[in-house]
Amino acid sequence: ETGVTQSPTHLIKTRGQQVTLRCSSQSGHNTVSWYQQALGQGPQFIFQYYREEENGRGNFPPRFSGLQFPNYSSELNVNALELDDSALYLCASSSVDAWEFNEQFFGPGTRLTVL
Amino acid sequence: DQQVKQNSPSLSVQEGRISILNCDYTNSMFDYFLWYKKYPAEGPTFLISISSIKDKNEDGRFTVFLNKSAKHLSLHIVPSQPGDSAVYFCAAVSDSWGKLQFGAGTQVVVTP
């Protein structure tokens, strides 16, 4: 069984640019969540996708957007990059049953540096 | 606002002794709490969880205690091993979709 994978591992961008991060969910999982982990902090929930629809969003501006594809892989897009967007971006997948909580499985993350 | 707080950024413990990690929360709607462990260059991995209807959950060397009246939970690791050296995150959810709210983490170092 393949775990959650993310690409690229590292990325350097300049302020104002746009970036796309990718995530492949664990086999059989239909839900993906994205988190931002700034240095010295815990991961912060960005948004979640369930069966290709956004299913909740954290306190992040609209320039953070996402997609989930029919094969349940996902993208996180960030427009107009700011210095504070420098962080580790984590993707987590799960198979959510509406009647009970299921744990999430995290990928290794993409380290984004904005100069 | 930070609804899940881990006030100890670091903890050093001797091998074989008990590690106690603490976590406080402010949102009484949280109904499930989890602990994750994170090594450098890896994503967080699930360690142990507890439902809000319980006050204790045990899994091998790991035990989580929940005190709802104090809005406090703790993770006990007994005995601590060198491989336990990692960052530990406390997290909470208020629905079945698993939108996790994390604390800032505690760096645990287990010394020989």
Side-chain angles (χ1 to χ4, degrees):
Chain A
E1 184 178 87
T2 307
V4 179
T5 59
Q6 293 186 242
S7 62
T9 306
H10 296 89
L11 200 52
I12 299 175
K13 291 285 189 178
T14 56
R15 208 167 34 171
Q17 285 189 311
Q18 178 267 342
V19 69
T20 298
L21 310 182
R22 294 179 174 82
C23 171
S24 290
S25 299
Q26 186 161 312
S27 176
H29 286 181
N30 55 17
T31 302
V32 64
S33 302
W34 285 90
Y35 294 83
Q36 180 197 66
Q37 186 183 3
L39 199 62
Q41 298 181 24
Q44 299 293 310
F45 174 74
I46 303 175
F47 44 56
Q48 181 182 82
Y49 279 80
Y50 171 67
R51 295 187 175 178
E52 303 175 57
E53 296 287 331
E54 187 176 292
N55 182 44
R57 188 178 186 93
N59 189 26
F60 281 82
R63 58 189 186 83
F64 285 77
S65 63
L67 283 173
Q68 187 184 30
F69 299 101
N71 65 353
Y72 301 129
S73 64
S74 176
E75 287 182 356
L76 164 65
N77 298 289
V78 187
N79 293 322
L81 283 167
E82 301 177 359
L83 297 179
D84 285 349
D85 296 333
S86 295
L88 179 68
Y89 289 85
L90 295 162
C91 161
S93 75
S94 60
S95 180
V96 177
D97 182 314
W99 304 107
E100 64 180 287
F101 172 77
N102 288 289
E103 66 172 280
Q104 299 186 50
F105 296 85
F106 283 84
T110 293
R111 173 72 63 185
L112 172 65
T113 302
V114 182
L115 302 175
Chain B
D1 64 334
Q2 194 76 7
Q3 298 186 44
V4 178
K5 298 179 184 179
Q6 293 176 258
N7 292 319
S8 298
S10 63
L11 173 69
S12 183
V13 63
Q14 275 190 316
E15 183 178 359
R17 305 293 291 267
I18 183 171
S19 294
I20 300 177
L21 290 78
N22 294 303
C23 178
D24 297 296
Y25 62 95
T26 58
N27 188 346
S28 57
M29 299 300 291
F30 287 142
D31 58 8
Y32 216 88
F33 302 90
L34 307 93
W35 286 92
Y36 281 83
K37 178 178 178 180
K38 187 179 186 302
Y39 293 116
E42 296 183 12
T45 55
F46 171 75
L47 197 55
I48 191 169
S49 64
I50 188 167
S51 165
S52 61
I53 62 173
K54 296 185 176 181
D55 55 18
K56 178 182 175 181
N57 188 28
E58 195 170 354
D59 184 2
R61 296 186 297 116
F62 303 93
T63 303
V64 57
F65 297 92
L66 175 62
N67 183 334
K68 282 191 70 176
S69 61
K71 294 191 174 67
H72 176 84
L73 64 155
S74 61
L75 173 68
H76 292 208
I77 307 173
V78 185
S80 299
Q81 299 175 353
D84 296 331
S85 296
V87 177
Y88 289 78
F89 291 102
C90 171
V93 293
S94 55
D95 63 27
S96 62
W97 293 97
K99 296 163 190 167
L100 297 164
Q101 294 210 39
F102 284 89
T106 297
Q107 172 77 60
V108 172
V109 175
V110 180
T111 57

